[in-house]
Amino acid sequence: MISTGRKVRVKQMNFLKERIEKDGKVLSPSVLKVDGFLNHSIDVQLMDEIGKAFAEAFHQNNITKVITIESGGIAPAMTTAFHLNVPMVFAKKAKPSTMSDPVYTTVHSFTKNTDYTLCIERSALSEDDNVLFIDDFLANGQAFEGICHLLEKTGSNLGGVGICIGKSWQKGQELVMSRNVPLWILVSIQKMTPEEIVWDEPSAWACE
Ligand code: 5GP
């Protein structure tokens, strides 16, 4: 469960909940498959609604760029950037030969249980950037930590975090909150089995 008095907000997104209940598949007590609409096949109308919701949540935070990690975060990050009217950059999981001055970090993959290298071109972010991190899931926060390292290496600031699907028993939410940045989660799962998903109620969540 979420601790109170911190900068966490959940927006009750009923249509995302309904879609997860209809088309999501619980593969294990900690892994939910949503590749029919979010991170493989993409429901573009749903992504547009998600982008609008994050843009509404962060429109007063002076965001200059949206960042995500390939590939699951690209669709929601792109619609968010579109509605905030700012550029979007995604961190790559392998260094392309075309990258001239990459910055790197190592991230542990939650779903694959292996380490991978994350990189962006140094010039993609600058000291003037106030960056919003968008991702499909927040589990133990390793992807988030990797993004924080890349931002530190480029001197840019983390201005907020927007997550489509949170899982509140895992460590990621505490980790984000410990960095004292605004965190918005569109729907949050308290526990899940192949038969049932139990949702966190927004009223149980703390606001700024
Ligand atoms: P974290 O780094 O917070 O432990 O995990 C976040 C990353 O792992 C996300 O970018 C996402 O790609 C992946 N992930 C975490 N939990 C799930 C899940 O339940 N289902 C899927 N499909 N991916 C997940």
Side-chain angles (χ1 to χ4, degrees), residues 30-32 39 108 110-111 135-143 167:
S30 60
V31 178
L32 174 67
N39 54 19
H108 187 76
F110 176 79
T111 46
D135 209 358
D136 52 354
F137 283 92
L138 179 63
N140 290 322
Q142 298 305 297
K167 292 178 284 178

Side-chain angles (χ1 to χ4, degrees), residues 25-43:
K25 193 168 175 204
V26 177
L27 297 184
S28 76
S30 60
V31 178
L32 174 67
K33 182 173 166 167
V34 289
D35 65 359
F37 55 97
L38 208 163
N39 54 19
H40 181 48
S41 293
I42 308 287
D43 180 331

